Amino acid sequence: MRFSAENEQQHNDFIAKVKESEVKPSEYGFVQNMLAKFASNLGHEIKFFRGNQTMRGAWDGDTFYLNENANVPIHYVFFHEFTHWMKDQQPGLFSQI
């Protein structure tokens, strides 16, 4: 989800929900650690949270928010959000895939 000034309240509400249910890095499993390392190597940060399973994930700037309770695998959520990010922030690179 790309947040804009028009959606500032939506952004603030989403971030508040994430902070309430954020998963600490010490609680990460193997897949979360691998995704966090992959994202970090690309200059991004991942924040995992536990929310309603229909709220899968979002991105804001260089931060990806991924729901551990999503109704699809967490690695799918990451690459889905990363693709949205790439389409918006790196359209030339996106057009090559």
Side-chain angles (χ1 to χ4, degrees), residues 13-30:
D13 292 346
F14 179 81
I15 298 301
K17 286 179 185 177
V18 168
K19 286 183 178 181
E20 289 172 7
S21 60
E22 190 171 340
V23 178
K24 296 176 184 156
S26 62
E27 299 176 49
Y28 291 0
F30 177 78

Side-chain angles (χ1 to χ4, degrees), residues 68-85:
E68 287 190 344
N69 293 337
N71 56 5
V72 295
I74 197 75
H75 61 280
Y76 171 85
V77 178
F78 171 72
F79 287 109
H80 176 85
E81 295 303 329
F82 188 78
T83 302
H84 283 300
W85 175 87

Side-chain angles (χ1 to χ4, degrees), residues 26-84:
S26 62
E27 299 176 49
Y28 291 0
F30 177 78
V31 173
Q32 290 88 342
N33 277 316
M34 290 293 99
L35 290 173
K37 183 178 243 181
F38 180 80
S40 177
N41 287 339
L42 295 173
H44 297 275
E45 179 181 17
I46 292 180
K47 295 199 180 275
F48 294 99
F49 66 99
R50 294 182 181 118
N52 181 313
Q53 68 179 188
T54 60
M55 183 170 60
R56 296 176 180 171
W59 66 273
D60 184 26
D62 287 331
T63 303
F64 294 93
Y65 300 94
L66 307 179
N67 184 1
E68 287 190 344
N69 293 337
N71 56 5
V72 295
I74 197 75
H75 61 280
Y76 171 85
V77 178
F78 171 72
F79 287 109
H80 176 85
E81 295 303 329
F82 188 78
T83 302
H84 283 300

